[in-house]
Amino acid sequence: MPAPADAPAPEVIHLAHDLRIACMRVSRRVRFEASSNIAPHHFSVLVRLADSPSTVGDLATRERVSAPSMSRTVSALVDRGLVARDDSPDDGRVTLLSLTDDGQATVVAERAKRDVWMADRLDRLSARERDVLARATEILTRVVSG
Amino acid sequence: MPAPADAPAPEVIHLAHDLRIACMRVSRRVRFEASSNIAPHHFSVLVRLADSPSTVGDLATRERVSAPSMSRTVSALVDRGLVARDDSPDDGRVTLLSLTDDGQATVVAERAKRDVWMADRLDRLSARERDVLARATEILTRVVSG
DNA sequence: TATTGTTATACTCTATAACTATA
DNA sequence: TATAGTTATAGAGTATAACAATA
């Protein structure tokens, strides 16, 4: 068996812990404070479709749920008028899913709502503190993308 | 009606958005990558009890679920041997909840698992980048506490 | 024969309402 | 009469298995 890589130094583990806790708290506070009339798994699908149209199978894979479960979720969103179903011209088995105008508007409104809580708090910090957060955001974004 | 407070400047809103997205991604990645055999709402209760013993009513309020729902969750944790129920000596209606040794061990193990993913990624950054994250963590922790 | 999507069925988590025991 | 907790019942999300339509 191959030799294991060196474990991170104690201070790195310590930072990992504190940073993880802080991020999870931000995440939870944003969800609670900006709680809306749309369920998390519904909003998550709308965000995927806002990025690009998709199919039930693809959404199921990316959201890590079963195809029947995603089928049900999509049906609910179609019933609410947020998502449109169209037959694929290339493959008769496939239905293409996209956001309706209402769906687009819902994503925009919900995102704005979530940003308000965060923006209000950052507004109370000093410019210097916000600068640190801006540089950290750039690093963090790189970390989670890799 | 009172005059509304000034809205945050555009660059603050922009930072709020990017930082929020980064934190939510960290949160999601940690949960996915370190996915264990314990459900989120179960782990959340164990963490509360690791902090201090509590009651069904108190846990329900703090986790923002109904009392019957929390009663059920606690019963499941008791069945798994992670939580102990004891009658209150002061009030016969109340049952005091606390972690068993297995419950303690579960919290410690799960936390470590979640830290590993984060620590591995931070370990690849430069010392200078980690310093920025350390300062950002201190600021963020203050932000979510307020 | 393989793949896309839906329907059938069951399990879990959630909620509200009703109930028991204690204050 | 009010409070802490449980049980009864129902609604929503998830899963696996079985099915339909198409490739």
Side-chain angles (χ1 to χ4, degrees), chain B residues 55-57 68 71 85 93-95:
Chain B
T55 66
V56 168
S71 182
R85 255 196 275 247
R93 298 169 302 180
V94 172
T95 57

Side-chain angles (χ1 to χ4, degrees), chain A residues 3-140:
Chain A
D6 283 346
E11 66 267 22
V12 174
I13 293 177
H14 191 260
L15 171 61
H17 179 80
D18 290 350
L19 179 54
R20 172 177 77 73
I21 296 291
C23 286
M24 294 185 85
R25 277 192 189 153
V26 166
S27 193
R28 168 173 290 208
R29 284 295 289 267
V30 164
R31 265 184 291 119
F32 275 175
E33 303 285 341
S35 73
S36 62
N37 46 5
I38 190 157
H41 68 291
H42 279 192
F43 183 61
S44 195
V45 167
L46 293 185
V47 168
R48 296 272 189 203
L49 293 178
D51 190 44
S52 73
S54 187
T55 66
V56 168
D58 182 52
L59 287 174
T61 301
R62 300 207 289 175
E63 290 293 313
R64 312 202 192 190
V65 297
S66 67
S69 184
M70 184 54 69
S71 183
R72 195 188 174 84
T73 296
V74 166
S75 290
L77 291 170
V78 169
D79 289 347
R80 288 180 63 173
L82 303 176
V83 168
R85 255 196 275 248
D86 292 292
D87 293 335
S88 168
D90 304 327
D91 186 333
R93 298 169 302 179
V94 172
T95 58
L96 297 176
L97 306 170
S98 59
L99 289 189
T100 62
D101 289 346
D102 269 12
Q104 294 266 12
T106 299
V107 169
V108 169
E110 180 64 19
R111 278 181 168 151
K113 220 166 158 187
R114 291 176 178 216
D115 286 339
V116 163
W117 182 85
M118 197 73 193
D120 279 351
R121 264 130 204 97
L122 298 189
D123 207 36
R124 298 173 201 158
L125 299 177
S126 68
R128 192 184 164 79
E129 286 172 324
R130 278 197 298 272
D131 180 61
V132 172
L133 290 183
R135 283 188 285 153
T137 298
E138 187 273 320
I139 298 168
L140 260 191

